[in-house]
């Protein structure tokens, strides 16, 4: 209970710091630059831990998957469900934010005077499409993985390392244990940094508002309202369709009968990790087999985040609008959807864990690191509804995985045993 309350309080403090910072920026204007060093300190702390955090969290998650019954089929089902639902949420988010421009009628010219323009390599234009893919997913030297500018490449290496450890069996267990310990230690460090987050984020946000002007606040309000509307559509509409696909009309009844507690817990805690025990109890009542439940729910808490994918689209489009970048081409659209999917997959299962995904956005699209607080604010204001889709979505996804693994009559057979 103490852990849940701590997560809840952190979210409240972050919201208060953003509110106070926004008011200070409006009242004092450019004078708020005096507190910018406190914001820079917060950014540097994040940049300092981001590389080991990504490596240990992803590699550990994959390295410790071994020893589960029907692992291959269950993992195939989980991957299929995760991918389909994430793509749907990304498309929904892109459609929504394309209709409602969050920065409409906002003067964005001021951004260029305080933010460092992303450096564009003139030689990059001469690289073929396949060459760009190679550069996007790999680096020519191992030491380059230690740079925050190569986040996607680091994720690829972490996945390979985790899978290799898991497939090494007994010989890989010492490494798996080391990765688990490393992940736990890094999460503890994140916890330390997040104690300072309300001060650091508030100071940086005050500086941004002071120099950009209060007009950007309207963009945040539109983002929140639009996200809330899409959350309701996805929660009631798509979750119902997912339950129908998993178990027919009985699936819909069983899901909504047991979905209230996980949903309320997600909103109250703003933490997918804190909801793991609650979700496990709920999916068992829904008839999900034990081995599927115990694989799907913990793994989903770290890698299946439809709400974060939806938020990832919002953050990317928000930055595209802020910098005046074109996103009308099919390549840009597909890239936005793909990166949003990855953002949902790599975000930590704790409040504030979205910093990993946000760094990925900056790295892939070449935005300067100084804009991190701008999208960090979006993460904070949409935290509760995003967690609702992230956490509660794992319960209906577990039902779909059961349909994939056990066949179309899985629910009837499960209910018959009760």
């Amino acid at each position: 209970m103490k852990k849940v309350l701590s997560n809840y309080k952190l979210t409240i403090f972050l919201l208060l710091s953003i509110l106070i910072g926004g008011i200070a920026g409006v009242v004092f204007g450019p004078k708020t630059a005096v507190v910018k060093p406190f914001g820079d300190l917060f950014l540097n702390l994040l940049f300092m831990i981001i590389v080991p955090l990504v490596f240990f969290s992803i590699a550990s998650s994959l390295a410790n998957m071994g020893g589960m019954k029907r692992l291959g089929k269950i993992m195939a089902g989980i991957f299929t469900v995760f991918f389909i639902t994430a793509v749907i949420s990304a498309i929904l988010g892109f459609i929504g934010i394309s209709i409602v421009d969050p920065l409409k009628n906002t003067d964005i010219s001021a951004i260029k005077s305080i933010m460092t323009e992303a450096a564009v390599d003139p030689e990059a234009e001469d690289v073929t499409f396949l060459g760009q893919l190679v550069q996007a997913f790999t680096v020519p030297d191992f030491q380059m993985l230690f740079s925050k500018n190569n986040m996607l490449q680091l994720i690829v290496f972490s996945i390979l390392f985790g899978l290799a450890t898991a497939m090494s069996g007994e010989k890989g267990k010492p490494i798996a244990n080391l990765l688990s310990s490393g992940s736990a230690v890094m999460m503890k460090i994140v916890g330390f940094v997040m104690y300072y987050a309300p001060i650091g984020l508030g100071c940086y946000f005050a500086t941004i508002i002071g120099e950009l002007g209060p007009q950007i606040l309207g963009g945040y309000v539109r983002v929140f309202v639009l996200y809330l509307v899409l959350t309701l559509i996805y929660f009631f509409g798509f979750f119902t369709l997912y339950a129908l696909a998993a178990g027919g009309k009985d699936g819909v009844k069983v899901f909504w009968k047991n979905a209230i507690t996980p949903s309320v817990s997600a909103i109250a805690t703003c933490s997918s990790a804190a909801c793991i025990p609650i979700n496990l109890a709920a999916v068992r009542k829904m008839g999900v087999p034990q081995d599927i439940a115990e694989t799907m729910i913990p793994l989903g808490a770290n890698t299946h985040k439809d709400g974060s994918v939806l938020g990832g689209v919002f953050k990317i489009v928000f930055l595209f609008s802020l910098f005046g970048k074109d996103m009308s081409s099919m390549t840009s659209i597909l890239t936005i959807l793909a990166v949003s999917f990855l953002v949902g997959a790599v975000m930590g299962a704790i409040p504030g864990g979205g910093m990993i995904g946000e760094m990925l956005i900056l790295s892939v699209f070449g935005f300067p690191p100084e804009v991190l607080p701008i999208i960090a604010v979006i993460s904070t204001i949409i935290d509760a509804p995003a967690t609702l889709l992230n956490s509660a979505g794992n319960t209906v996804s577990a039902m779909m995985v059961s349909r994939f693994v056990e066949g179309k009559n899985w629910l009837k057979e499960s209910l018959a045993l009760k």
Side-chain angles (χ1 to χ4, degrees):
M1 187 64 179
K2 185 177 180 181
K3 170 75 171 179
V4 173
L5 290 176
S6 176
N7 290 329
Y8 182 75
K9 287 181 180 179
L10 175 58
T11 301
I12 295 298
F13 286 146
L14 287 173
L15 288 172
L16 286 175
S17 71
I18 290 171
L19 177 61
I20 294 171
I23 294 174
V26 172
V27 174
F28 297 104
K31 294 181 180 179
T32 54
V34 70
V35 299
K36 188 173 182 293
F38 296 100
D40 290 336
L41 174 60
F42 176 58
L43 277 184
N44 288 343
L45 287 172
L46 291 174
F47 295 156
M48 183 175 64
I49 65 175
I50 195 71
V51 169
L53 175 62
V54 169
F55 172 71
F56 280 113
S57 60
I58 295 178
S60 173
S61 176
L62 294 172
N64 290 282
M65 289 193 309
M68 295 177 289
K69 300 177 182 178
R70 304 178 292 168
L71 174 61
K73 192 170 185 180
I74 291 175
M75 292 306 300
I78 289 175
F79 176 81
T80 301
V81 170
F82 282 8
F83 180 78
I84 292 175
T85 56
V87 168
I88 291 173
S89 63
I91 293 174
L92 177 65
F94 188 82
I95 293 174
I97 204 165
S98 296
I99 296 174
V100 181
D101 183 0
L103 292 176
K104 185 178 182 180
N105 300 324
T106 299
D107 181 13
I108 62 175
S109 59
I111 188 73
K112 297 180 180 179
S113 64
I114 65 169
M115 295 294 179
T116 305
E117 287 286 355
V120 178
D121 185 359
E123 297 181 2
E125 299 178 358
D126 298 329
V127 180
T128 64
F129 175 72
L130 290 178
Q132 290 177 358
L133 286 180
V134 172
Q135 293 180 2
F137 289 97
T138 60
V139 290
D141 196 330
F142 178 77
Q143 66 180 8
M144 296 176 68
L145 292 174
F146 294 98
S147 170
K148 67 180 184 295
N149 296 322
N150 296 321
M151 289 296 297
L152 190 55
Q153 296 91 330
L154 176 62
I155 290 170
V156 172
F157 175 77
S158 302
I159 291 173
L160 293 174
F161 194 93
L163 288 175
T165 303
M167 296 176 67
S168 297
E170 290 295 325
K171 292 183 178 180
K173 281 189 176 181
I175 298 296
N177 293 334
L178 175 64
L179 291 172
S180 295
S181 299
S183 179
V185 170
M186 290 310 304
M187 285 301 179
K188 184 64 68 174
I189 295 176
V190 171
F192 293 154
V193 174
M194 293 311 293
Y195 280 122
Y196 179 68
I199 298 174
L201 188 57
C203 290
Y204 212 109
F205 189 61
T207 305
I208 291 172
I209 298 302
E211 299 192 28
L212 286 182
Q215 66 268 23
I216 196 175
L217 291 174
Y220 286 119
V221 173
R222 284 190 286 272
V223 164
F224 176 73
V225 173
L226 177 59
Y227 192 91
L228 203 57
V229 171
L230 293 182
T231 294
L232 294 175
I233 293 173
Y234 195 79
F235 181 73
F236 290 105
F238 285 90
F239 279 10
T240 299
L241 291 176
Y242 295 159
L244 183 67
K249 294 181 180 179
D250 290 336
V252 174
K253 294 178 182 178
V254 167
F255 172 72
W256 286 113
K257 181 181 178 181
N258 298 283
I260 302 302
T261 300
S263 301
V264 172
S265 301
I267 295 173
T269 63
C270 294
S271 171
S272 296
C275 292
I276 288 176
I278 299 168
N279 286 352
L280 280 171
V283 295
R284 286 167 183 161
K285 292 178 181 178
M286 295 175 187
V288 175
Q290 182 175 348
D291 57 351
I292 294 177
E294 293 181 351
T295 304
M296 161 71 213
I297 296 301
L299 187 61
N302 288 281
T303 59
H304 178 235
K305 296 176 176 292
D306 292 344
S308 298
V309 173
L310 192 64
V313 173
F314 276 43
K315 295 169 192 175
I316 296 171
V317 174
F318 193 88
L319 288 178
F320 267 57
S321 299
L322 202 57
F323 282 90
K325 294 187 67 173
D326 177 48
M327 59 179 182
S328 59
S329 68
M330 183 57 65
T331 301
S332 296
I333 293 173
L334 291 176
T335 304
I336 290 172
L337 295 178
V339 173
S340 300
F341 174 80
L342 289 173
V343 167
V346 303
M347 288 180 70
I350 57 173
M355 297 298 177
I356 300 175
E358 287 151 9
M359 282 301 304
L360 176 62
I361 291 174
L362 302 185
S363 174
V364 171
F365 291 105
F367 293 114
E370 290 82 0
V371 303
L372 177 62
I374 292 180
I375 52 178
V377 170
I378 296 178
S379 288
T380 303
I381 62 178
I382 67 172
D383 197 14
T387 306
L388 172 64
L389 299 185
N390 291 342
S391 183
N394 285 327
T395 58
V396 71
S397 294
M399 294 178 64
M400 290 194 287
V401 173
S402 299
R403 167 68 175 83
F404 182 90
V405 175
E406 301 287 351
K408 63 180 181 180
N409 295 320
W410 75 273
L411 184 58
K412 292 181 179 179
E413 295 173 356
S414 178
L415 294 175
L417 295 175
K418 292 185 176 182

